[in-house]
């Protein structure tokens, strides 16, 4: 099969186009594995959650990513009601070259709703899709000779019940928080096929980011969102606090939140991998990759100028 060059201006290697053809299969396979019935909906602190962690850790290892300590696990505690609860974030590192001590943190929550009223909420779109995209982006960045920035790939826990994994990361980061210049949060990426749309919230936290998006050609319709725009589950979506980018935003760190809007299977037992359109999945990943590689090329002064002091 001939491999076409998708956006040669941004990529240094002719093999990148071939990478996208292979990435679609890996993306769908990761989503399928993470949303399989045996993981019982990946509710925090359950056996299904442990199975998901084991799978993600193995994928981190297979990709050649580095653990920051003895393993990829970073446990944390949080208060829910009158009880102390426990979750586990998974964190892997990819070292950059020219800005090795400056980090872009990529987040995607792996937890979901578990079993409700005897039915498994598999969460294929929410958020096996985000974790799968994060893994594919890690592989893409490794295809370059060396990315400019270092990256932390963070599979967060306990997002569904209060963003607790992301809150724990920001409160006690494994690297100095001053070294983190950007959060890229991936949450629900695989069900925008109805209008070929992917939403981006947070572009206005980086000067010129919105202009870049508006002037580029993407395989999907990359739509900029402002706070309060869009619907999800019959309620107006507060994009600012809707997912794991919120603790980074509150800490003054520039952020970009990629996700789809509402669909009929959101937070239902019907959010299964079989309902994903593979063609849209590939278009989404091509577009997302185009943005991520461009971001890696931007100077550190650009990020520092966007940071808000507290």
């Amino acid at each position: 099969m001939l491999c076409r060059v998708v956006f040669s201006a941004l990529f240094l290697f002719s093999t990148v186009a071939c990478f996208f053809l292979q990435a679609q299969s890996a993306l769908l396979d990761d989503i399928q594995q993470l949303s399989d019935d045996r993981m019982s909906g990946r509710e925090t602190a359950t056996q299904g959650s442990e199975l998901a962690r084991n799978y993600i850790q193995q994928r981190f290892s297979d990709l050649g990513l580095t653990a920051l300590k003895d393993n990829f696990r970073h446990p944390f505690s949080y208060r829910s009601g009158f009880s102390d609860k426990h979750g586990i974030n998974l964190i892997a590192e990819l070292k950059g070259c020219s800005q090795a001590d400056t980090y872009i943190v990529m987040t995607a929550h792996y937890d979901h709703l578990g079993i409700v009223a005897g039915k498994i909420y598999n969460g294929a779109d929410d958020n096996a899709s985000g974790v799968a995209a994060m893994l594919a982006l890690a592989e893409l960045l490794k295809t370059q000779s060396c990315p400019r920035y270092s990256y932390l790939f963070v599979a967060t826990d306990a997002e569904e019940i209060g963003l607790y994994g992301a809150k724990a990361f920001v409160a006690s980061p494994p690297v100095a928080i001053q070294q983190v210049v950007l959060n890229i949060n991936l949450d629900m990426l695989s069900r925008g096929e109805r209008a070929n749309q992917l939403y981006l919230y947070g572009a206005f936290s980086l000067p010129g980011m919105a202009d870049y998006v508006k002037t580029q050609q993407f395989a999907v319709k990359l739509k900029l969102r402002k706070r309060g725009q869009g619907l999800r589950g019959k309620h107006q979506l507060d994009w600012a606090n809707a997912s794991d980018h919120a603790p980074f935003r509150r800490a003054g760190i520039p952020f970009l939140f990629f996700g789809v809007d509402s669909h009929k299977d959101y937070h239902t037992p019907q959010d299964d991998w079989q309902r994903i359109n593979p063609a849209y999945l590939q278009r989404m990943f091509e577009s997302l990759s185009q943005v991520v590689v461009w971001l890696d090329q931007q100077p550190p002064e650009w990020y520092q100028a966007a940071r808000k002091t507290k």
Side-chain angles (χ1 to χ4, degrees):
M1 179 180 293
L2 292 176
C3 295
R4 63 185 179 90
V5 177
V6 182
F7 26 78
S8 57
L10 289 177
F11 292 102
L12 300 177
F13 301 99
S14 61
T15 55
V16 169
C18 293
F19 174 87
F20 286 122
L21 296 177
Q22 300 165 358
Q24 177 183 331
S25 176
L27 276 166
L28 197 57
D29 184 62
D30 283 336
I31 294 171
Q32 181 178 353
Q33 295 299 321
L34 288 167
S35 61
D36 190 271
D37 280 353
R38 73 181 186 278
M39 297 201 180
S40 304
R42 308 185 308 276
E43 184 180 7
T44 298
T46 64
Q47 182 59 33
S49 179
E50 176 65 15
L51 291 174
R53 280 192 293 276
N54 290 340
Y55 181 84
I56 296 167
Q57 288 182 113
Q58 186 60 55
R59 291 286 283 119
F60 280 168
S61 294
D62 292 344
L63 289 170
L65 302 176
T66 304
L68 295 174
K69 52 182 186 177
D70 292 340
N71 55 54
F72 297 108
R73 297 185 175 217
H74 292 248
F76 62 91
S77 300
Y78 61 97
R79 190 78 174 173
S80 179
F82 298 101
S83 302
D84 289 324
K85 305 288 186 180
H86 304 281
I88 301 175
N89 290 335
L90 303 173
I91 305 176
E93 182 183 40
L94 173 63
K95 269 293 189 183
C97 289
S98 62
Q99 299 293 327
D101 293 328
T102 305
Y103 286 84
I104 293 175
V105 175
M106 201 171 294
T107 50
H109 75 91
Y110 69 90
D111 66 298
H112 194 52
L113 303 180
I115 299 175
V116 181
K119 295 182 178 180
I120 302 175
Y121 286 60
N122 282 317
D125 188 37
D126 186 14
N127 184 38
S129 68
V131 175
M134 181 174 70
L135 294 169
L137 287 169
E139 186 171 5
L140 174 64
L141 288 164
K142 284 181 66 69
T143 66
Q144 301 181 82
S145 56
C146 187
R148 169 177 285 191
Y149 295 96
S150 292
Y151 288 81
L152 295 181
F153 302 96
V154 186
T156 58
D157 199 1
E159 186 270 352
E160 294 283 8
I161 53 177
L163 315 182
Y164 289 112
K167 290 175 181 176
F169 179 94
V170 172
S172 183
V175 299
I177 199 67
Q178 293 79 12
Q179 295 175 262
V180 177
V181 294
L182 178 68
N183 168 234
I184 300 173
N185 185 39
L186 311 173
D187 192 351
M188 297 178 59
L189 297 175
S190 62
R191 294 292 300 275
E193 65 273 11
R194 180 170 56 87
N196 194 38
Q197 291 181 343
L198 177 67
Y199 293 109
L200 169 59
Y201 176 74
F204 299 101
S205 73
L206 288 165
M209 182 72 201
D211 292 334
Y212 163 75
V213 171
K214 292 174 182 177
T215 57
Q216 299 301 304
Q217 294 294 319
F218 297 99
V220 297
K221 298 175 184 176
L222 189 56
K223 308 283 285 186
L224 300 179
R225 277 294 176 262
K226 295 181 180 179
R227 188 168 187 166
Q229 290 182 329
L231 298 174
R232 184 169 290 177
K234 298 182 181 180
H235 297 288
Q236 192 171 35
L237 179 61
D238 179 4
W239 289 88
N241 299 299
S243 186
D244 281 333
H245 57 282
F248 292 88
R249 177 184 63 79
R250 295 177 194 130
I253 298 170
F255 66 95
L256 297 172
F257 168 33
F258 292 89
V260 300
D261 210 336
S262 177
H263 53 77
K264 62 184 177 60
D265 298 324
Y266 170 70
H267 279 197
T268 74
Q270 285 72 50
D271 185 7
D272 292 316
W273 70 268
Q274 293 91 338
R275 295 175 180 257
I276 292 171
N277 183 323
Y280 173 80
L281 191 67
Q282 180 165 343
R283 293 194 300 271
M284 175 280 299
F285 184 67
E286 288 183 10
S287 303
L288 181 61
S289 299
Q290 185 174 345
V291 175
V292 168
V293 172
W294 180 81
L295 288 166
D296 188 67
Q297 297 171 344
Q298 302 314 302
E301 296 80 14
W302 184 61
Y303 290 108
Q304 292 297 344
R307 193 183 188 97
K308 296 180 180 178
T309 58
K310 293 294 181 181

